[in-house]
Amino acid sequence: MALTGEGVAERLADVRGRIEAAGGDQQAVTVVAVTKDMEAEAVAAALAAGLREVGENRAEQLREKAAAFPAGTVRWHYLGRVQRNKVARLAPIVSLWQGVDRLAAGAEIARQAPGATVLAQVNVSGEPQKHGCRPEEAAALVDRLRQFGLDVRGLMAVGATGPPEAARPGFRLLRQLADELGLPERSMGMTDDLEVAVEEGTTMVRIGRALFGERQSTT
């Protein structure tokens, strides 16, 4: 079934209702629409529903979708791990780099997009398949990224694998780290662990399935 702005708007209302029910402030929690492996119609539907923040995990998909919309229409978030050889092509498009977990990636972003806005990704679960610096490395990473001239707004994390409650300790740790570092943004929480993230102080949730339904690979 084709995605429509009306359909996404209804689902967005449900997401915002979940945020409020979990004790969050709808105005204080940014909803990032994640359109990974979806066609450009998903972005168009998100825009029609009033969403402007759109997240992509794959560099080529981001570039293809961005080309379908006038510059400035969408605030693109790059959610994937930053690969240095792709930064130059993404730099003119990306508004917020959410997955910066290595100095080399930060240095390349600073070279291609001086003063870019970034989040430092932290692996709060300790799972080897997840990206991010170790929690004890977060302060040093943030400091070095700032030395590169980047605007470090906050931290990002992916919740632990398992039921939603499994993500709570990691989300709590991310908030504590962000508070200690004086960083306002905490990007944590997706469709399944949204409520836990809100309870633990998220300021930004990355939502795909709850807005668009199950994704179908385009690759």
Side-chain angles (χ1 to χ4, degrees):
M1 184 166 58
L3 290 166
T4 65
E6 181 178 346
V8 173
E10 291 176 358
R11 291 177 176 224
L12 176 59
D14 290 340
V15 168
R16 287 181 169 152
R18 289 173 61 186
I19 290 171
E20 185 173 353
D25 180 351
Q26 294 184 31
Q27 303 303 315
V29 178
T30 300
V31 176
V32 179
V34 180
T35 58
K36 175 183 176 182
D37 290 337
M38 295 181 182
E39 301 292 347
E41 68 171 350
V43 180
L47 290 171
L51 289 169
R52 187 175 172 229
E53 315 283 333
V54 179
E56 278 293 333
N57 294 69
R58 303 184 183 186
E60 292 309 313
Q61 288 189 18
L62 191 156
R63 292 180 67 231
E64 290 171 4
K65 289 173 192 172
F69 298 91
T73 304
V74 180
R75 277 183 49 83
W76 296 101
H77 296 229
Y78 188 60
L79 306 177
R81 195 177 200 214
V82 180
Q83 296 177 300
R84 288 191 301 166
N85 64 339
K86 296 182 179 179
V87 170
R89 289 176 290 173
L90 295 178
I93 304 169
V94 174
S95 295
L96 177 61
W97 303 81
Q98 286 215 30
V100 182
D101 63 356
R102 294 165 297 138
L103 292 178
E108 185 63 14
I109 292 171
R111 190 169 78 86
Q112 300 290 346
T117 305
V118 305
L119 303 182
Q121 184 172 356
V122 183
N123 184 341
V124 294
S125 70
E127 295 170 276
Q129 72 272 26
K130 288 187 169 64
H131 298 303
C133 69
R134 293 195 299 259
E136 61 269 24
E137 298 171 339
L141 176 60
V142 167
D143 185 59
R144 289 298 303 277
L145 294 176
R146 284 174 168 162
Q147 289 178 26
F148 293 151
L150 296 172
D151 179 8
V152 185
R153 291 284 178 85
L155 305 178
M156 183 269 251
V158 177
T161 303
E165 195 61 30
R168 189 178 299 279
F171 288 166
R172 184 168 296 172
L173 174 58
L174 194 81
R175 177 176 182 171
Q176 291 171 347
L177 287 171
D179 287 349
E180 290 170 4
L181 296 171
L183 298 170
E185 294 286 1
R186 300 177 285 271
S187 175
M188 56 189 191
M190 297 186 283
T191 292
D192 291 334
D193 53 22
L194 168 63
E195 284 82 2
V196 174
V198 170
E199 290 167 1
E200 294 302 331
T202 188
T203 63
M204 187 177 292
V205 291
R206 310 179 302 272
I207 306 296
R209 186 163 23 91
L211 292 174
F212 306 112
E214 296 292 341
R215 67 174 182 260
Q216 297 180 355
S217 178
T218 58
T219 59

